[in-house]
Amino acid sequence: MASKTGNAFDFNLFKRLLKYTDPYKKTFYLVGVAAVLLSVASVLRPYLLKVTIDQAIVPQDYSELLYYILLMSGVLLAEVLFQFCFIYFANWLGQEVVRDLRVNLFEHMLQFKMKYFDKSAVGRLVTRAVSDIETIASIFSQGLFMIISDLLKMLVILGVMFYQSWQLTLLVLTVLPFIMYATRVFQKKMKIAFEEVRTQVANLNTFVQERITGMKIVQLFTREKEEYENFKNINDKHRKAWVKTVWYNSIFFPIAEMSTSITIGLIVWFGGLRAIESDAVSLGVIIMFIELSQMLFKPLRQIADKFNTLQMGMVAANRVFGVLDTRSTIKDEGTKEVKDLRGDIEFKDVRFSYVDDEEVLKGVSFKANAGETIAIVGATGAGKSTVINLLNRFYEINGGQIFIDGLDINSIKLKSLRSQIAVVLQNVFLFADTIMNNITLENPEVTEEDVINAAKRIGIHEFIETLPNGYYYNVKERGAMLSSGQRQLISFLRAFVSNPSILVLDEATSSVDSYSEQLIQDATDKITQGRTSIVIAHRLATIKKADKIMVMEAGEIVEMGTHQELLQKENGYYKNLYEVQFKAEEAV
């Protein structure tokens, strides 16, 4: 897992990330070879310059001068070629790795329990899946291989320098420890700073995502000024986090530049004295050392800069692997495949809590026979929606058992179980896509003809045809181009087309107009025929037609029976509910 904040580098995390390069070993090694050749070629240029000065320019040998110019041109072309291979394939490798990592992350997130999403901000998860993973790509394109190339270049430079003059080399190295110490301090400080940057980026993304999604609420309650001030505060924290990184950069790089200038001065002073006194050092050697010292310190400064990139990528990797290491999936240990279920449902002493020690269901037991319509009523928070969430295994029960056709739902493969249950929710979610794709969810087994025939059967074909482009009308994000009633109708058709064995309607008509309600009621009558249906509803018509009504209060079933049976109970919960709510509705 992650390194502690402030540690310069986490090698275990880095090794884990490198495993994603295993499918691309050839490219990985190609980039490494290009880095070596690039290091050698870049050091050859100052060496050839030294030879040119000492053997052609000083003795005024024009033929030698032309030869060395052509030789340096060839080295320069080779350096360009190696640099192209290095940059292109390093970036290519980075994009391949992040593609695989992003797919891996998204696949992992698809398996999470609903409980995980209940507690996790959408903006943070978007940051992990998009910007954090993109930052990881820079580890390969600008971090790892650049650092390796710079280190190789420094080693080759030091080798050449020692070979030419060990005295001048030692002079250069006197400044090196100071630069290395400053670099080390810089790396640690930047690690902490980048941790804060990524945290503030996630906070900013979360805030913006939530406010844009809930803009209607912001404007309805005239919260524009308050949200503007909140955004300014969060944005200011984001700015301060970035300014801290700028502060460290503004200190380190001037120190590095000053050290380079001091080194050049020492070379000119010491080398010039040696050249004047004893000819032990030639003019070419002095010029070569000036250029090599700059090349030595420049990679060192770049290493610090690239290490920043590496650190930022490692921080992002730490956060992404944090999501990948989260074990919040529904256990899918079932072995049975089910198809065309009868629809017998049984809850046996089912207990469940969203939060520890706060039970939502307190030993719920009931049976629904195949083909029956069961209505569930009760106050908000009574546990009605929890029943259908557990039937679909969106959450794990704390105790008891749930059976379908006599099979414990834990023994059924999760995908197989959910394929037999269709749910129509009160708050319909539609993707920014066509009506056709929102109905079929791009299932190749569902044809356009199937959708049209199903729409005609439940009486909403004409409604869809009135829309621009009909079934290929783009409803935009969350179905914003449709009314709530229209979205419900699309959701009904989506459920019907899936041909489920069990149908669940979760208050599906609570927020629609009377015309849409009539269409939905007609559709309900048709799609519930021959299917076990569980209906959570406030509307009288649906409940009165139910084969059985289950009344819930505070996580327990307090009454059960038909509409007429429950009305016969003196001071019964359902009777009181009917008289207060349903009678008024019936009168209207």
Side-chain angles (χ1 to χ4, degrees), residues 271-283:
L273 288 177
R274 294 294 305 277
I276 293 170
E277 292 175 356
S278 61
D279 293 331
V281 176
S282 67
L283 179 60

Side-chain angles (χ1 to χ4, degrees), residues 509-562:
T509 61
S510 63
S511 59
V512 299
D513 56 83
S514 57
Y515 174 73
S516 297
E517 182 188 356
Q518 186 58 51
L519 286 176
I520 290 174
Q521 193 57 56
D522 294 342
T524 301
D525 293 340
K526 291 175 182 176
I527 68 177
T528 55
Q529 290 176 3
R531 291 186 176 89
T532 305
S533 303
I534 298 178
V535 181
I536 298 173
H538 293 301
R539 299 298 175 107
L540 177 61
T542 306
I543 294 175
K544 287 177 71 174
K545 292 180 181 179
D547 298 299
K548 195 181 297 180
I549 298 172
M550 190 165 73
V551 184
M552 296 189 68
E553 183 180 16
E556 297 178 306
I557 299 174
V558 293
E559 293 176 358
M560 186 176 291
T562 65

Side-chain angles (χ1 to χ4, degrees), residues 178-179 182 251-261 297 301:
F178 175 73
I179 294 290
I251 293 175
F252 174 77
F253 287 104
I255 290 174
E257 286 293 337
M258 182 180 65
S259 301
T260 302
S261 300
F297 289 136
R301 293 197 303 273

Side-chain angles (χ1 to χ4, degrees), residues 372-533:
E372 284 187 337
T373 296
I374 307 295
I376 307 177
V377 299
T380 301
K384 306 185 298 296
S385 295
T386 301
V387 170
I388 61 174
N389 283 335
L390 298 182
L391 185 64
N392 279 281
R393 291 199 67 203
F394 287 137
Y395 300 86
E396 299 278 18
I397 60 178
N398 297 345
Q401 288 178 292
I402 302 174
F403 298 92
I404 296 180
D405 285 4
L407 298 173
D408 189 316
I409 60 172
N410 291 323
S411 68
I412 303 172
K413 290 183 178 179
L414 197 58
K415 185 176 181 181
S416 180
L417 171 69
R418 290 177 179 170
S419 69
Q420 295 297 303
I421 303 172
V423 181
V424 179
L425 298 171
Q426 177 183 2
N427 297 316
V428 178
F429 185 93
L430 297 179
F431 295 97
D433 206 336
T434 63
I435 288 177
M436 181 64 69
N437 286 340
N438 269 290
I439 293 169
T440 65
L441 297 177
E442 300 186 5
N443 182 350
E445 295 181 3
V446 181
T447 65
E448 182 177 347
E449 185 180 359
D450 293 333
V451 173
I452 294 173
N453 288 337
K456 288 178 178 177
R457 283 185 61 189
I458 64 175
I460 66 173
H461 173 71
E462 291 181 2
F463 142 66
I464 296 176
E465 284 292 287
T466 62
L467 298 171
N469 299 322
Y471 288 87
Y472 292 92
Y473 178 60
N474 193 312
V475 300
K476 304 301 181 183
E477 187 175 0
R478 297 176 179 268
M481 303 303 292
L482 301 176
S483 69
S484 58
Q486 291 172 328
R487 290 196 294 270
Q488 286 288 6
L489 291 170
I490 299 302
S491 180
F492 259 76
L493 183 54
R494 179 162 62 192
F496 186 44
V497 164
S498 68
N499 192 29
S501 300
I502 298 170
L503 178 68
V504 176
L505 306 180
D506 187 359
E507 301 189 13
T509 61
S510 63
S511 59
V512 299
D513 56 83
S514 57
Y515 174 73
S516 297
E517 182 188 356
Q518 186 58 51
L519 286 176
I520 290 174
Q521 193 57 56
D522 294 342
T524 301
D525 293 340
K526 291 175 182 176
I527 68 177
T528 55
Q529 290 176 3
R531 291 186 176 89
T532 305
S533 303

